[in-house]
Amino acid sequence: MVIRTADDVAATAAHAPDLAVLDRAVVRCRACPNLVAWREEVAATKRAAYRDQTYWGRPVPGFGPADARIAVLGLAPAAHGGNRTGRVFTGDRSGDVLFAALHRAGLANQPTSVAIDDGLRLADTRVVAAVRCAPPANKPTPAERDTCAPWLHREVALLRPTLRVVVALGAFAWAAWWPAMTQVYGRRAPTPRPVFGHGAHWSGGGPVPDVLGCYHVSQQNTFTGRLTPAMLDEVFSTANRLAGRS
């Protein structure tokens, strides 16, 4: 069944019994016409460097084990990264930085992520995006964010038995976490909401995961030195400790 409306998204996500079923449903989503048009236009026109490749051109599901203790939450797939390869943070510079850091932290078996069949495996970690389609200018609208939210909420619900830490990459992901927390854990977001920043740490206690803020692994941040490998290592070292891995 093709998923064409926000109501379809909510109903389909709510009934997914496990992550494998959820991931297959995500890929069928066509609920946001602007995002569908953009992802398919990019897949058809391609970047010159990838003109001989077949682009994925569909929503990109999460990646990582179903019993993850750490969730890495990003914004959306990159037009010529996840939208090309079919795996989140794969085939672009942001993914190069992220997976190298996960490898240094003992959370990935290799430091690179270039293709869906490259042998990458994650340990205790699942990487997800708040919005599952590549958006124009990397800026989804509020309506697109809200339409896509049930996918994230159900993914968090399915991870709930083991999830201990959420690493939010950037302010968009940080903001996307609080509605997910309310939906899954029944915990209202603090008022005022905690301010995003690199190294920010919010702990709700009990079953609610700790949340760590991290500057996004975008080229703008990494090329300018706003985000360095040492800064990433500190965040994932903290995530490992909070998850009981160190």
Side-chain angles (χ1 to χ4, degrees):
M1 181 189 75
V2 176
I3 296 159
R4 298 189 181 278
T5 68
D7 287 344
D8 288 347
V9 172
T12 305
H15 288 93
D18 55 43
L19 286 174
V21 172
L22 183 72
D23 290 348
R24 291 195 295 270
V26 165
V27 172
R28 301 197 311 270
C29 189
R30 300 182 65 85
C32 298
N34 186 52
L35 294 184
V36 171
W38 173 252
R39 79 193 190 206
E40 293 180 353
E41 177 185 345
V42 170
T45 57
K46 306 181 182 181
R47 179 174 284 172
Y50 309 124
R51 62 182 176 273
D52 296 329
Q53 298 184 19
T54 299
Y55 273 55
W56 174 256
R58 288 172 279 172
V60 180
F63 172 65
D67 58 352
R69 285 185 269 176
I70 299 169
V72 179
L73 176 59
L75 193 167
H80 301 282
N83 189 57
R84 173 173 61 89
T85 63
R87 192 171 69 198
V88 65
F89 282 110
T90 296
D92 59 33
R93 294 288 183 87
S94 296
D96 293 344
V97 173
L98 175 61
F99 287 107
L102 292 175
H103 182 255
R104 292 193 301 272
L107 298 171
N109 69 319
Q110 62 190 42
T112 57
S113 178
V114 296
I116 202 166
D117 58 355
D118 61 6
L120 177 65
R121 297 189 304 276
L122 301 183
D124 283 331
T125 304
R126 188 166 172 93
V127 181
V128 302
V131 173
R132 304 305 166 101
C133 292
N138 209 32
K139 293 181 179 179
T141 67
E144 290 163 350
R145 174 202 63 200
D146 293 346
T147 296
C148 209
W151 299 129
L152 173 63
H153 297 174
R154 184 57 180 160
E155 192 154 9
V156 172
L158 291 168
L159 292 170
R160 179 174 176 168
T162 56
L163 187 62
R164 298 294 176 266
V165 186
V166 175
V167 177
L169 299 178
F172 189 98
W174 181 265
W177 168 250
W178 308 110
M181 180 184 74
T182 299
Q183 178 68 27
V184 176
Y185 295 90
R187 177 77 66 86
R188 289 187 178 182
T191 304
R193 290 191 180 182
V195 176
F196 171 76
H198 185 83
H201 178 193
W202 181 84
S203 180
V208 180
D210 284 48
V211 186
L212 300 176
C214 179
Y215 289 147
H216 195 278
V217 288
S218 65
Q219 291 186 55
Q220 180 179 0
N221 286 338
T222 57
F223 283 7
T224 61
R226 187 175 190 234
L227 178 64
T228 66
M231 292 167 68
L232 276 168
D233 290 348
E234 184 175 0
V235 168
F236 286 114
S237 175
T238 302
N240 266 328
R241 175 176 56 80
L242 292 171
R245 286 179 44 88
S246 62

